[in-house]
């Protein structure tokens, strides 16, 4: 191997403030990161999946749902994540042309799936729009 870049990364295993599941749409990266920081979530395991909640609420294959659940469980096991945050966003490519209400409904369905699988893990849902982040009850 040839070293191309020097950077000192921390060696200590960390405790994650949350397991965050969001879409990989980069348009909302900065807003989500700033929002999480504002909420006191500084260190987190970030699971980025196109469509985020859709993989739990309406997966194309059951194995997609199992895969996401396994990621959440791994975050809890390895880094002690005490809660899961589901973040969906407007104009998501996984929901081509669908109104925000459809995406938000999937967020709630995804939270129910996650709670059924991991009843002890608190789940919070958020919707990222072009003007900010909204909490979904
Ligand atoms: Zn998306």
């Amino acid at each position: 191997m040839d070293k191309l870049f020097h950077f000192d990364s921390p060696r200590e295993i960390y405790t994650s403030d949350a397991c965050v599941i969001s879409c990989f749409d980069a348009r909302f990266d900065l807003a989500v990161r700033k929002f999480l920081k504002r909420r006191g979530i500084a260190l987190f395991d970030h699971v980025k999946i196109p469509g985020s909640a859709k993989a739990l609420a309406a997966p194309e294959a059951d194995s997609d749902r199992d895969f996401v659940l396994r990621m959440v469980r791994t975050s809890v096991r390895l880094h002690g994540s005490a809660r899961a945050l589901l973040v969906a966003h407007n104009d998501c490519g996984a929901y081509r042309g669908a109104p925000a209400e459809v995406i938000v409904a999937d967020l709630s369905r995804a939270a129910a799936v996650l709670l059924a699988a991991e009843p002890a893990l608190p789940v919070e849902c958020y919707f990222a729009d072009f003007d900010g982040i909204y909490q979904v009850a």
Side-chain angles (χ1 to χ4, degrees):
M1 284 193 292
D2 297 324
K3 184 175 183 178
L4 300 179
F5 181 69
H6 177 80
F7 189 85
D8 294 314
S9 297
R11 291 178 180 276
E12 302 78 31
I13 305 282
Y14 61 92
T15 299
S16 165
D17 296 323
C19 180
V20 177
I21 300 167
S22 75
C23 181
F24 65 16
D25 193 316
R27 293 175 295 173
F28 299 93
D29 273 358
L30 190 56
V32 168
R33 231 175 315 126
K34 282 179 177 280
F35 168 71
L36 294 175
K37 192 176 174 189
R38 177 80 58 88
R39 300 278 294 184
I41 298 166
L43 205 51
F44 54 93
D45 289 342
H46 202 166
V47 179
K48 287 187 171 186
I49 311 160
S52 68
K54 195 172 191 181
L56 288 169
E60 286 177 29
D62 286 345
S63 57
D64 291 353
R65 182 186 294 127
D66 296 340
F67 188 63
V68 176
L69 290 174
R70 208 158 58 241
M71 288 184 177
V72 172
R73 288 174 177 137
T74 302
S75 173
V76 170
R77 181 166 44 83
L78 293 183
H79 302 138
S81 290
R83 56 182 157 162
L85 271 62
L86 298 172
V87 183
H89 69 91
N90 207 352
D91 195 37
C92 184
Y95 292 89
R96 281 218 185 285
E101 297 74 45
V102 170
I103 302 170
V104 169
D106 260 7
L107 261 180
S108 299
R109 258 193 297 278
V113 168
L114 197 47
L115 277 171
E118 291 297 321
L121 188 69
V123 180
E124 301 169 20
C125 295
Y126 300 98
F127 183 75
D129 210 336
F130 294 100
D131 65 347
I133 312 280
Y134 296 80
Q135 185 161 31
V136 177

